[in-house]
Amino acid sequence: MTATTRPFPPPGPLRRWLPSVAWILALGAIAAVLLLHIESVQTARGIQGGFGFLFQSAGFRISESLLAVSPDDPYWMSIAAGLVNTLTVAAVAIPLATALGIALGLMRLSSHALAARCAAAIIAPLRNTPVLLQLFVWYGLLLRLPDMRQAWSPLPSVLLSNRGLALPAVQGWLPYAAVLLLAVALGWRARRRWGNGAALAALAVAALAWALLPAMQVDLPVKRGLGLQGGWQPSIEFAALLIGLVVFHAAYIADIVRASVRAVPVGLVEAGQAMGLAPWGVLRLVIAPYATRVALPPYANQCLALVKNSTLAIAIGYQELMAVINTAITQTGLALEGIALAVAVYLTLALVLGGGLSAWNARNTRHGPGDTHGARLSDRPLWRATGSNPHPWRGKVLSTVLAVLLAAAAWTLLDWAVLRAVWLGDPAACANAAGACWAAVGENLPLLFFGTMSPADRYPAFIACAALLGGIGLTLGARRLPARARAAALAILLLIVISALTGWPWGGALIGPQRWGGLLVTLILAIAALAAAVPLAFALALLRRSGSHAGSLAAAGLIEAVRGVPLVTQLLFASFVLPMLLGGGVSKFSMALAALTLHTACLLAEVLRGALQAIPPGQMMAARALGMRPATAYASVIWPQARRIAAPAALGVFVGAVKDTSLVSIIGVFDVLGAAKAVVAGTEWRPYHVEVYLAVALLYFAASLALSKVARRMEARAA
């Protein structure tokens, strides 16, 4: 007799969905317990929870908004005014950043070496310094403008002073804009369905409606006494936020433009040249459409990042959405409700903006260019790829003009920063100088390095900082050193840090996180956040790729929620909610570390997930066929490959995490940037804030540049 095998029956519906139901119930129970605990803490403090506060009188004024509100209006109107401010910043900054980014990107691709290097010199410091630090610099520079009586007027009826910018305002423009948008939409749709005649008829009807609308009026700003009347008068805070966001994100958009143009296949360009197109025609009809398809996804990410970075206005006093919600939380004590509102609004904005850009991307990629295999434009200069320059004399004129401008700028900078600078002395010595006051940095080095730490704690803190910097240099630079020797050296340096901060074994005093400040906080925060984020990111990436539907959905929900919410909101959530969850006694350093770790881990999880997806499934199957357990297979086969694939992008996340440490000053953590703010807060050194912030920017620039070079080296090695 031959034995017959009967296949196991497929699992029933209950057995198949039981793990997902268990996941959902467990997560729901945890969330319910946390919410009940927070509500009990609020009740013990005499705070009645719920969203009923939205209909109560806010009691504070929104100084600047297109939506006029008063202190007697309810909270929801004040929050709506803050949302209008956020949308106004985004609506103005995104087009300006796009235009500036395209210009810088094309300069970076120019065949003129001088123009390309100028663009690279502009992009590098903007990308490698924190955006909050740049906002402080722009805000301080704008405050140095002349007062209203000596306002600068670059154009007629345009005034610029230390109170802000005054522009002509057009009254009654909204109905005209609505009619124009409706006419364009109807005309475009009518042209597609019924031809040009229907489109012209729609435009004629729109012109008739336009003629029946009340006339628009131009309101010009006019000086009245010590102030201005009329026109549109955006504040100095709005101008600083706008300039900072535009130039910061333009640097990233420039690299997107450069990468997308370099990705254009050479064959398409050669085909355009074979059809007799001029260089400008090749650029407009061949390169631009293909590069747009490539650039749209990362460009959408930059638009979302700009909207999230608008929350940094809370640090310079501009009342956008997060600043208004923070004020409401401070007044009412309803931290959970306020943060929930902020999360809902920002996730909705991310969904709307991301969905719109995704639809645009899908429309542009519907009809691809066909087979695009082969060589790309790569590092070829743009004009050399599209054909010979028909006007070579223009290049010589451009080179001459750029050389003169660079020489003038370099001399001005050298004269201000070195020749006329004051290196030592008190504020009185700087007041009579025409150059930079580097004495503001030298005299306040103890505060920048150690914050408010006592003199007895500064020497151990200096030892700890030196050991941490040595460990960073050893990790990034000593690649030729054997792995065991490098690990032993890192262990020794870590032991030195622990000994310096704990006083063991020589019996010194323990220096806890509450007493840390300055450079020590920045270094420990960055290193600890990155070290804790890596295993958490790996766990989230594996959970999102797991077979459990509930586990994958939970990981995806957490990752997308953290990625869609600004880091400032997460820091405020940690500062308001964590003390209620843990019963108080939580240091601000721990709150900042928790928020930074989760934020970095969620960003890194997507990088690792992409790397894991790039590994063929046969690798795991072969490892299991050799008898390896799943954990052994991941550790020995999958993880080494994923690490090499993800290394360049992961280091990019690390660069962002290092710059994000500057945001912890918003919740009162006394890091390097917080120490710099303390220096310029004093009346003596306040006029020299630019020098202080430039010194701090140099620290972040050096760290980001070192990580960026390592990332490029790994990317070249992987290629």
Side-chain angles (χ1 to χ4, degrees), residues 352-421:
V352 172
L353 184 57
L357 291 172
S358 297
W360 186 22
N361 180 44
R363 177 179 178 81
N364 278 275
T365 56
R366 185 178 303 169
H367 304 289
D371 186 11
T372 58
H373 297 289
R376 309 277 172 166
L377 288 185
S378 188
D379 293 325
R380 298 186 186 183
L382 193 57
W383 277 110
R384 194 175 299 169
T386 56
S388 59
N389 191 348
H391 304 289
W393 60 271
R394 293 182 180 177
K396 297 180 180 180
V397 172
L398 178 61
S399 299
T400 303
V401 172
L402 283 176
V404 172
L405 292 177
L406 284 177
W411 172 253
T412 303
L413 181 62
L414 180 66
D415 183 58
W416 175 80
V418 179
L419 299 181
R420 299 188 181 184

Side-chain angles (χ1 to χ4, degrees), residues 161-307:
S161 66
N162 55 10
R163 291 190 182 180
L165 182 66
L167 300 169
V170 180
Q171 305 292 342
W173 62 272
L174 190 57
Y176 287 86
V179 170
L180 180 61
L181 290 176
L182 185 62
V184 171
L186 292 178
W188 176 74
R189 192 165 185 84
R191 181 178 179 274
R192 292 189 63 184
R193 285 198 172 187
W194 300 294
N196 294 332
L200 292 176
L203 292 177
V205 172
L208 179 61
W210 193 315
L212 296 177
L213 291 174
M216 292 185 292
Q217 297 180 354
V218 179
D219 188 11
L220 300 178
V222 179
K223 291 183 179 181
R224 288 287 187 271
L226 299 179
L228 286 176
Q229 289 184 356
W232 180 40
Q233 301 179 32
S235 65
I236 204 74
E237 291 80 10
F238 176 84
L241 179 65
L242 183 65
I243 295 173
L245 293 179
V246 166
V247 298
F248 179 78
H249 289 281
Y252 283 89
I253 294 174
D255 279 346
I256 293 172
V257 171
R258 178 169 171 258
S260 61
V261 171
R262 292 174 60 189
V264 176
V266 175
L268 294 180
V269 178
E270 293 175 347
Q273 293 173 346
M275 295 176 63
L277 293 177
W280 176 253
V282 173
L283 178 63
R284 184 172 60 90
L285 300 175
V286 178
I287 295 178
Y290 189 94
T292 301
R293 297 187 185 98
V294 176
L296 271 178
Y299 173 73
N301 290 334
Q302 283 304 308
C303 292
L304 293 174
L306 189 148
V307 173

Side-chain angles (χ1 to χ4, degrees), residues 7 23 122 160 187 223 274 287 325 360 422 489 513 617 653 671 684 705 719:
W23 265 97
I122 294 173
L160 185 62
K223 291 183 179 181
I287 295 178
I325 291 179
W360 186 22
V422 177
V653 174
D671 67 327
E684 294 181 346
L705 195 61

Side-chain angles (χ1 to χ4, degrees), residues 131-146 161-164 235-241 243-244 315-317 416 676-677 680-681 685-694:
V131 60
L132 181 61
L133 182 58
Q134 297 182 31
L135 290 181
F136 286 151
V137 172
W138 288 113
Y139 186 55
L141 289 175
L142 292 177
L143 287 177
R144 287 189 175 184
L145 292 173
S161 66
N162 55 10
R163 291 190 182 180
S235 65
I236 204 74
E237 291 80 10
F238 176 84
L241 179 65
I243 295 173
I316 59 175
W416 175 80
K677 290 172 60 179
V680 300
W685 299 110
R686 184 177 300 171
Y688 315 109
H689 60 276
V690 174
E691 291 86 339
V692 176
Y693 286 139
L694 285 178

